[in-house]
Amino acid sequence: MTQHPRSLFDKVWDAHLVATRPDGQALLAIDRHFLHEGSFHAFGMIDHAKRPVRRPELTFAVADHYVPSHSRATPIADPEIANMVTMLEANAGRHGLRHFGLHDPAQGIVHVLAPEQGLTLPGLTIVCGDSHTSTHGAFGALAFGIGATEVSHVLATQTLWQRRPRTMRVTIDGVLGAHVTAKDLILAVIGFIGADGAAGHVIEYAGSAIRALSMEGRLTVCNMSIEAGARAGMIAPDDTTFSWIEGRNYAPKGELFDRAVAQWRTLPSDPDADFDREVSLDAAVIAPSVTWGTSPETAVPVTGAVPDPGAESDPVRAGQMRKMLDYMGLIPGTRLEDVGIDRVFIGSCTNARLEDLRAAAAVLRGRRAMVPGLVVPGSVPVRRQAEAEGLDRVFTDAGLEWGEPGCSMCVGINGDLVPAGERCASTTNRNFPGRQGPNARTHLMSPAMAAAAAVTGKLTDVRKLGAS
Amino acid sequence: MDPFVTLTAPAVPLDIANIDTDQLLPARFLKKPRSAGYGNFLLHDERKPGFPLDDPAYAGARVLVTDRNFGCGSSREGAVYALVDGGFRCVVAPSFGDIFAANAAKNGLLTITLPEETVAELRRQLQETPGAAVTVDLPAQTLTGPDGQPRPFAIDPFKKECLIEGLDDVALTLRYQDAIDAFDRADEEARPWLMPGT
Ligand code: SF4
């Protein structure tokens, strides 16, 4: 009997089916469950129902959203913020969960920490009450964000009800140009398919440009899958993946690692696997990108200009463009490179890994920033390594601030806000109205592009500036 | 959760695409307990003069008719709490963020997906006749607009059942305990490397 050809997604999905109802709903087994401070509603639900955590050994709590970026020597001043951090610790302690708290040597943003610690592995199902859980798909895991009620369900049962999503393959062949990064690649994909272009789908990223990416780059790509509306993003595991995992704290060791790798090698999509949709892009035409509006789908090459709603035929869309331009304080037709910025933020689960900090530092080395800015590494290990390489000095010598690991100005709930009306060049993933603070204006871009913007005080094509 | 069967109530139109969960519930309110009154935080920073939700003509609206990609962005279930605590039981849009739609169903908030032109037409009718009511019949899967014309909509049967019965997922899942245990036993054999730190 020949087996129907299957995609990477099909293989991971099928291997986790516990039960399927006649109406098509599937009960999926969950291999890793990550929690952050926002999980308090879910703990409240299981505690209220007097349900224990079914698999504490597969459940990990990470303090990241509310942790301070400045000094950690003194207690958190704001009592509500401090409460979020201590509540997670208390909930984790009561249920016997491994907790990566404020002072843990592995602490970091959950989507940086888990891969770094070897908790994220190929072929796993991974959930977290956070939409950027899609990040972990870079390893060939099926990873997606869930809400509080679903978190409480996974805590209680280590399973989740899901309807099988559709699949979309995004193939990017060719070679990315100089200074064009994984961030530009994924911004181009979102600009192309739209902020809801992949709704209801799991994306598999394929093609030579994807294969050529480091694990850091793959994490950046999968991270922003959700900004195209995708349920998850996945990349087939390969030798780049396996060598990244080997030797990490929680990864399998010795003979078990070899057995795991043998299984992981069977995960890539079969040659004739079907996808519900196929999209392809040429890597060579992707330029360094920035967003002009309040949705990631407004990504355009930095070489362009602010678009004109007058040229849009659909009046509703034109009205929505005007609203975005109004929020962003931009005039149609302005060259993007003439748009001045007020500050930069380099950080977040999209772009706060070592490779990102190296790319930003390469542009900033020996230069001064024209605007204030904050650089926040994704984890304590990233911070340590960056300091060992002297990157922190490059940033501080340029006049930027060097922070402690966490989500920081990506979402601003630890108090790191972009002041109202200010324009921020940001390596984060969302430029929604108010995302970085009420009336803050966010332009998304790569770390090298944010560094270039810092140097000139304007949106800048990093290719003109070069890197040392 | 309150079961959802039928609903006849005023609907408010919102001509904005990509309303994300950061707008629905700004991040600074995420640290508040539900008892703080999430309804007061709903679209907090958007409520400038003239915003339809504050227009007395739409007072008592329980249905929101909006544009594509509603609820995109973060997984915060608080965005759903803000709508539910703000009196809404149904949102109609051409498309929804997947996580938002899942969260909505768990909290008795019905999300209805209809073609872009249909939703635009409904919004137009509601703008012409502010305060007009719509009727949602979930068992029949129809939405009747101000023009009195019932429009069929599709919904996942599981979601429909959970909404109509107000089901608790965990109680349902526990009926599958034997299958879960059997899966775990087989998995220990199949993937001995799965346990963290082995
Ligand atoms: S860095 Fe930003 S996007 Fe990532 S988990 Fe934190 S808040 Fe969410």
Side-chain angles (χ1 to χ4, degrees):
Chain A
M1 193 184 90
T2 54
Q3 252 235 307
H4 192 69
R6 293 188 301 164
S7 67
L8 164 63
F9 162 78
D10 293 329
K11 293 178 193 186
V12 180
W13 176 273
D14 293 350
H16 290 84
L17 279 178
V18 174
T20 309
R21 286 167 43 112
D23 61 18
Q25 279 285 324
L27 190 62
L28 277 190
I30 300 302
D31 294 327
R32 298 281 188 271
H33 188 193
F34 303 134
L35 304 160
H36 59 74
E37 300 97 311
S39 315
F40 71 96
H41 291 294
F43 278 111
M45 291 177 207
I46 62 162
D47 291 347
H48 178 77
K50 298 197 168 52
R51 286 171 176 143
V53 175
R54 182 157 185 277
R55 301 291 298 274
E57 70 281 10
L58 302 180
T59 312
F60 297 84
V62 181
D64 57 5
H65 283 66
Y66 288 85
V67 299
S69 316
H70 305 289
S71 172
R72 292 193 175 169
T74 51
I76 300 172
D78 181 319
E80 275 190 325
I81 292 177
N83 179 49
M84 290 297 283
V85 176
T86 50
M87 204 161 39
L88 178 69
E89 182 170 14
N91 280 324
R94 195 156 28 82
H95 288 283
L97 313 179
R98 171 74 168 95
H99 170 246
F100 296 93
L102 192 49
H103 300 290
D104 195 289
Q107 184 268 337
I109 304 170
V110 58
H111 310 309
V112 176
L113 177 152
E116 198 164 69
Q117 293 302 315
L119 287 166
T120 300
L121 301 173
L124 302 189
T125 48
I126 300 176
V127 296
C128 173
D130 190 283
S131 58
H132 292 101
T133 308
S134 60
T135 311
H136 308 262
F139 288 78
L142 174 61
F144 53 92
I146 55 177
T149 304
E150 291 182 317
V151 168
S152 77
H153 187 276
V154 177
L155 285 171
T157 69
Q158 203 62 29
T159 63
L160 196 63
W161 289 103
Q162 291 286 300
R163 170 165 292 276
R164 192 184 190 105
R166 292 186 291 277
T167 55
M168 175 191 291
R169 179 161 57 188
V170 176
T171 304
I172 301 136
D173 281 315
V175 179
L176 292 173
H179 302 293
V180 182
T181 66
K183 180 63 161 288
D184 303 298
L185 186 157
I186 189 62
L187 284 173
V189 169
I190 298 162
F192 185 68
I193 66 178
D196 59 352
H201 291 74
V202 168
I203 297 178
E204 177 174 343
Y205 301 96
S208 58
I210 298 293
R211 299 254 68 80
L213 291 175
S214 64
M215 283 318 296
E216 282 87 345
R218 295 179 189 186
L219 286 157
T220 300
V221 168
C222 287
N223 173 272
M224 289 193 72
S225 303
I226 181 75
E227 309 313 333
R231 200 75 189 90
M234 301 175 85
I235 293 175
D238 58 13
D239 288 331
T240 304
T241 321
F242 309 141
S243 54
W244 207 87
I245 294 169
E246 190 167 14
R248 293 193 181 259
N249 268 351
Y250 287 90
K253 306 272 158 34
E255 190 242 346
L256 281 180
F257 179 75
D258 298 337
R259 282 178 68 177
V261 170
Q263 288 185 6
W264 296 339
R265 286 197 191 283
T266 67
L267 288 171
S269 294
D270 299 332
D272 301 324
D274 281 332
F275 292 83
D276 296 301
R277 275 180 69 193
E278 294 261 14
V279 167
S280 46
L281 258 76
D282 176 5
V285 305
I286 299 173
S289 301
V290 295
T291 57
W292 59 264
T294 57
S295 165
E297 71 185 3
T298 63
V300 290
V302 67
T303 48
V306 176
D308 181 4
E312 168 64 53
S313 56
D314 175 348
V316 175
R317 296 244 162 139
Q320 291 169 350
M321 282 174 76
R322 279 193 195 94
K323 189 165 182 287
M324 287 202 274
L325 291 172
D326 184 45
Y327 181 88
M328 292 298 291
L330 292 172
I331 296 162
T334 312
R335 274 174 11 102
L336 287 165
E337 287 198 87
D338 291 336
V339 175
I341 58 154
D342 301 302
R343 68 178 57 239
V344 295
F345 175 64
I346 299 173
S348 90
C349 57
T350 314
N351 281 129
R353 285 168 283 268
L354 200 57
E355 183 179 288
D356 303 313
L357 300 186
R358 284 180 183 149
V363 175
L364 283 161
R365 191 168 282 119
R367 292 180 168 134
R368 287 286 301 175
M370 302 272 292
V371 293
L374 175 61
V375 185
V376 175
S379 69
V380 175
V382 168
R383 185 180 155 93
R384 292 251 160 81
Q385 182 57 33
E387 288 177 352
E389 296 179 15
L391 306 183
D392 58 321
R393 291 295 304 277
V394 175
F395 297 127
T396 52
D397 287 352
L400 303 180
E401 225 185 312
W402 176 240
E404 299 276 357
C407 295
S408 180
M409 206 174 273
C410 174
V411 66
I413 50 185
N414 73 341
D416 295 343
L417 293 168
V418 174
E422 274 199 12
R423 187 180 303 286
C424 182
S426 183
T427 67
T428 52
N429 43 49
R430 289 193 172 136
N431 50 0
F432 299 158
R435 170 73 179 187
Q436 293 189 293
N439 290 312
R441 295 163 170 163
T442 305
H443 293 272
L444 304 176
M445 64 194 75
S446 75
M449 285 283 288
V455 168
T456 63
K458 294 188 292 187
L459 300 180
T460 299
D461 187 342
V462 63
R463 293 174 298 192
K464 291 183 188 159
L465 214 56
S468 61
Chain B
M1 123 187 162
D2 289 344
F4 188 115
V5 186
T6 59
L7 171 74
T8 297
V12 55
L14 215 47
D15 264 348
I16 310 170
N18 294 316
I19 294 183
D20 62 86
T21 57
D22 278 86
Q23 283 167 280
L24 287 168
L25 180 74
R28 62 186 181 281
F29 300 120
L30 287 173
K31 52 189 183 296
K32 302 282 185 197
R34 179 97 178 242
S35 57
Y38 271 50
N40 299 323
F41 310 146
L42 174 64
L43 287 161
H44 187 278
D45 298 345
E46 305 304 309
R47 302 183 93 149
K48 296 158 191 137
F51 194 66
L53 258 55
D54 297 318
D55 186 337
Y58 297 109
R62 309 203 70 194
V63 179
L64 185 64
V65 183
T66 181
D67 206 345
R68 71 184 184 94
N69 207 23
F70 185 83
C72 62
S74 93
S75 62
R76 62 188 70 167
E77 197 160 302
V80 172
Y81 304 159
L83 281 158
V84 171
D85 296 357
F88 289 94
R89 291 302 310 272
C90 176
V91 184
V92 184
S95 61
F96 289 92
D98 287 339
I99 309 175
F100 174 86
N103 291 342
K106 311 280 180 206
N107 289 278
L109 179 72
L110 172 65
T111 52
I112 297 180
T113 309
L114 287 171
E116 197 147 0
E117 316 75 67
T118 311
V119 182
E121 170 59 21
L122 280 169
R123 288 199 308 267
R124 208 183 50 72
Q125 289 178 18
L126 292 166
Q127 282 152 357
E128 268 171 14
T129 326
V134 301
T135 295
V136 180
D137 185 335
L138 181 54
Q141 296 183 206
T142 57
L143 169 71
T144 306
D147 58 2
Q149 191 192 324
R151 296 170 176 83
F153 62 86
I155 184 170
D156 180 280
F158 181 74
K159 217 182 229 188
K160 181 175 172 179
E161 180 184 331
C162 290
L163 279 161
I164 291 176
E165 292 177 21
L167 261 190
D168 168 16
D169 278 12
V170 176
L172 173 75
T173 306
L174 294 177
R175 292 188 216 150
Y176 292 81
Q177 194 59 56
D178 290 349
I180 297 172
D181 292 340
F183 180 93
D184 285 352
R185 278 193 304 274
D187 199 44
E188 264 174 53
E189 296 270 312
R191 295 187 301 166
W193 46 266
L194 179 70
M195 285 300 289
T198 48

